[in-house]
């Protein structure tokens, strides 16, 4: 029962807390896209547009560099604003929250005998089939901090101001730094560009052995729970994080 509970909790945490403390092998991101895209490769020139608060932001420049690397894999070329066909706007946020998980409690009332005698009372007493019942002695609620990371990428035509593409990506977990989450958000948001209008899906990006984004392509999980096969997308340039 304890093993089954551990597996169930692990599945839950992998699905909902994708960046929690190294317990997963991938990052799972929720993506939603709205599209009126009709551009060709010849018109895929762009410049980043910034809000007043973003004008002199080093953080903004860092995220723009990540986005530029990913956009380049879809034939986008960054040019001066005056000659750009599109403007690309980035908006992002991070917020903290708490999650509570109910965990079983196991104790040994006879610790002086060690593991050889088992855990008779702490494990629920003598069972009906001639062995000790392996149930927990009780349950306790444990609370953990989680952080929700969000990104929106908006594309408009520079001349007309018409919105042609908007995609939002979000994931959550124990990672308290937005800069560490941003490569996964950007890769997930722009994977398989352009998505159909009204697309909602989950994208999984594997971690490499050092905990960073691997070179494997993002995998989109369909509504039937099965993975779809996207075109290979190179990983963005790594961002040094202290």
């Amino acid at each position: 029962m304890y093993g089954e509970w551990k597996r169930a909790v692990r599945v839950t945490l992998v699905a909902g807390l994708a960046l929690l403390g190294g317990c997963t092998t991938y990052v799972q991101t929720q993506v939603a896209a709205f599209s009126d895209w009709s551009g060709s490769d010849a018109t895929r020139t762009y410049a980043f547009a910034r809000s007043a608060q973003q004008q002199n932001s080093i953080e903004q420049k860092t995220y723009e560099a990540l986005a530029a690397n990913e956009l380049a894999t879809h034939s986008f070329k960054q040019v001066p604003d005056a000659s750009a066909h599109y403007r690309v706007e980035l908006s992002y946020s991070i917020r903290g929250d708490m999650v509570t998980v109910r965990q079983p409690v196991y104790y040994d009332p006879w610790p002086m005998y060690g593991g050889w005698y088992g855990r008779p009372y702490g494990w629920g007493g003598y069972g009906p089939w001639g062995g000790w019942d392996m149930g927990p002695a009780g349950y306790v609620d444990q609370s953990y901090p989680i952080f929700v990371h969000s990104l929106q990428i908006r594309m408009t035509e520079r001349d007309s101001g018409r919105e042609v593409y908007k995609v939002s990506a979000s994931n959550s977990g124990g990672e308290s730094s937005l800069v560490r989450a941003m490569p996964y958000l950007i890769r997930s948001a722009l994977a398989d560009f352009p998505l159909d209008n009204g697309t909602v899906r989950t994208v999984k990006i594997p971690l490499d052995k050092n905990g960073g984004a691997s070179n494997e392509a993002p995998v989109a999980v369909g509504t039937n729970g099965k993975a779809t096969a996207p075109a290979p997308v190179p990983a963005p340039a790594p961002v040094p994080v202290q």
Side-chain angles (χ1 to χ4, degrees), residues 45-106:
T45 57
Y46 75 96
F48 286 109
R50 299 178 179 177
S51 66
Q53 293 79 11
Q54 295 172 338
Q55 285 300 323
N56 298 308
S57 170
I58 299 176
E59 181 182 20
Q60 175 72 16
K61 292 180 180 179
T62 302
Y63 299 156
E64 285 179 359
L66 290 172
N69 287 338
E70 199 65 25
L71 286 167
T73 68
H74 300 289
S75 302
F76 280 91
K77 181 180 179 181
Q78 188 174 1
V79 297
D81 183 77
S83 56
H85 189 80
Y86 299 106
R87 283 182 173 146
V88 176
E89 304 171 43
L90 307 180
S91 57
Y92 39 85
S93 65
I94 182 172
R95 63 178 177 84
D97 206 341
M98 298 292 293
V99 62
T100 300
V101 178
R102 175 153 291 192
Q103 301 187 22
V105 175
Y106 299 90

Side-chain angles (χ1 to χ4, degrees), residues 62 175-180 238-242:
T62 302
E175 177 55 69
S176 61
S177 171
L178 183 59
V179 70
R180 289 191 179 101
V239 177
V241 179
Q242 300 298 325

Side-chain angles (χ1 to χ4, degrees), residues 220-236:
V221 180
T223 55
N224 59 359
K226 297 182 179 180
T228 59
V233 179

Side-chain angles (χ1 to χ4, degrees), residues 22-61:
C23 67
T24 66
T25 58
Y26 59 84
V27 173
Q28 185 165 287
T29 301
Q30 306 302 316
V31 174
F34 296 92
S35 177
D36 188 18
W37 184 262
S38 59
S40 67
D41 289 350
T43 61
R44 290 190 180 189
T45 57
Y46 75 96
F48 286 109
R50 299 178 179 177
S51 66
Q53 293 79 11
Q54 295 172 338
Q55 285 300 323
N56 298 308
S57 170
I58 299 176
E59 181 182 20
Q60 175 72 16
K61 292 180 180 179

